[in-house]
Amino acid sequence: MKGLKIAVLVKQVTDTRETVEATVGADGTIDRNALPAICNPDDLNALEQALRIKDRIDGSQVILISMGPQRAEEVLRDGIYRGADEGILLSDRRFAGADTMATSYALAMAARRISPDLILAGRQSIDGDTAHVGPQTALWLGWPQVTYAEQVTPCEDGSIEIRRVSDDETEVVRTTLPAVVTVGGSGAAECRPSNVRRILEYKKQPVTVWTADDLGGDTSRYGLGGSPTQVVESRTIVAGHKDTEWVASDENSLSEFVARLVESHIVE
Amino acid sequence: MIFCQTRDGALSEVGLELLTKGRRLAAETGGELEALIIGGRTAHLAEEAFRYGAAKVFCAEDERLKDYLTLPYVRIAKHVVEAEQPDIFLAGATSVGRDMAPRLAAELGCGLTADCTALELGDCSYRGNEYKGVLKCIRPSFVANQLTTIISPSTRPQMATIREGVMAKEPLGKPVQGKCIMVDTTALLKKEDFAVSIIEKTARERGVDLKSAKVIVAGGYGMGSAENFEVLFRLAEMLGGEVGATRAAIDAGYVGGYERMIGQTGITVRPKLYIACGISGQVQHTVGMDKSACIISINCDADAPIHRIADYAIVGDAVKTVEHMIALIKNNRR
Ligand SMILES: Cc1cc2nc3c(=O)[nH]c(=O)nc-3n(C[C@H](O)[C@H](O)[C@H](O)COP(=O)(O)OP(=O)(O)OC[C@H]3O[C@@H](n4cnc5c(N)ncnc54)[C@H](O)[C@@H]3O)c2cc1C
């Protein structure tokens, strides 16, 4: 089989799963700087699928693309230590304020420059949870998309076969290339750890940075200007609408409470 | 316009929920409710959409569309949306809606908000601009206890995907005399729309059926261990219910399987009785259960937010209290 050129879209996120009390202020807001910055978990699942293809088919190449501030270079380096060949960071003030539409446009323009056979992306990010970027990148490129993939296998005839999960089913689908596939979920294989030899070898290798000028395209589609959605409000909610009845946890109170539950058929 | 997904040859629940919500939004604006149904055979489903108030139902039926495929579905939706120019387009946040809506949004150049738990019409001011009568899409943010409101004021339709089960479905007493309009799929679809083909499909075993459970006993991180979770299974069994969990409890390995996760990234439930044990009540969890008919919270922290949305709040140790309740229910049944 002919080697595949695979682009993997990765995003640096703050690890919201690690929200510990020390990072939450009295008003319920989180001090994001106090949280670790990691590679979005689903993106690592996507990278693993890419690396497995590279293991299998000689001459395959895995290129990471990320959009973000300079610091996001960390996730590219992390991916290279795990086995990717190269990392490209899209970083430019003009990309700032991008929603999923503007983000996917920039990613698609970058992909166009590399012209990969296959783009793999994480299904969704833990800080946005929208699952928009994969499908929207596919649209900008005019490529087919397959979402919710767990496993991606190249076929002899130049197509790829994908095992994916929908709400009710597990499916095996086949698509022509080029295509965009988003990977994630509990059935997707975990990414291999970084390799010590690779760390030593690539520690100093610079990451390529592209700006809006490098990407070309319709510059009005980048950043805030290319973003149709606007976050108008984030409000901390204080629940308290219900007439809560407080039940003491001592023997008698609980006993009386359970009797009432049974009597009123709440418990049957 | 509501995209009504089909499931087993009928309109899916979330489609009916969205038609109900759409009908109310249309009434508020003096607009009209429209539905889009795509599938193998769909014309006969228009009746059901009329019962929920759709005045116009667009049906695309084609043997090739029996199973959901992104490209042909998006092409049809784009065609109908461009012809009808609705102000709002809603789809369920299912694996179908979440695959189709983002591509459709980019195709139309429209803003899309994912996984909403509430929708409101209203005025908004943002960065010095005033927007009248826009769709406010409300969803939990990734920050604990925060809700985010997102608008797409300058593009039409305003698009959103909505979580299953968060809107109530209510048919009309009398169906509207609507119009069913067939979409000519033969003329519309191209060969390249079938670049992706389904080779094999197997129904996934749904071991746990939280959605139809009448009673849910849910455990959080405060349960402390997998062993302690056992008491929840005992209580659930006793009440003919199921065990649910928070993300924190599942991540900690106290209980297996994300199919038990309730909340924003899990599922939305509205059982008759929800017993929350060792759960703090972060909004990402509560959006999935706050419409339960009766909520009992058991948490040792009197200030835990879960108590404030509970009908009955018990401040105490979850394991001890549940064990106690099990014994008491047994006694009461004798
Ligand atoms: C994008 C995103 C999506 C998310 N989606 C979901 C989702 O779908 N579902 C979900 O559940 N979460 C979700 N979360 C996580 C959510 O924000 C909370 O972190 C989570 O719900 C907290 O779970 P918990 O209440 O079990 O744990 P905690 O918040 O740690 O609460 C534990 C509670 O147990 C109490 N407790 C401790 N010991 C005892 C005891 N012995 N007896 C009684 N009580 C005790 C404590 O007082 C505390 O209130 C999401 C988060 C993000 C960022």
Side-chain angles (χ1 to χ4, degrees), chain A residues 87-118:
Chain A
I88 297 166
L89 179 66
L90 313 184
S91 202
D92 190 323
R93 281 243 273 303
R94 284 172 285 176
F95 295 145
D99 68 2
T100 62
M101 188 96 95
T103 302
S104 59
Y105 184 74
L107 291 168
M109 289 306 115
R112 194 166 276 171
R113 273 196 69 173
I114 309 171
S115 52
D117 302 296
L118 172 63

Side-chain angles (χ1 to χ4, degrees), chain A residues 16 116 122 126 128 149 177 180 203 212:
Chain A
T16 49
I126 55 170
L177 291 179
V180 175
K203 213 163 54 189

Side-chain angles (χ1 to χ4, degrees), chain A residues 222-263:
Chain A
Y222 292 123
L224 197 61
S227 301
T229 59
Q230 300 179 346
V231 176
V232 285
E233 185 191 37
S234 283
R235 105 188 104 100
T236 302
I237 49 163
V238 188
H241 59 93
K242 270 209 182 160
D243 261 339
T244 303
E245 180 184 328
W246 296 85
V247 179
S249 61
D250 62 88
E251 179 85 44
N252 282 341
S253 318
L254 265 187
S255 167
E256 185 266 337
F257 173 60
V258 168
R260 262 199 298 147
L261 289 181
V262 173
E263 209 169 287

Side-chain angles (χ1 to χ4, degrees), chain B residues 161-173:
Chain B
T161 60
I162 320 298
R163 294 297 316 267
E164 275 179 286
V166 296
M167 312 268 169
K169 67 165 193 188
E170 259 168 57
L172 291 169

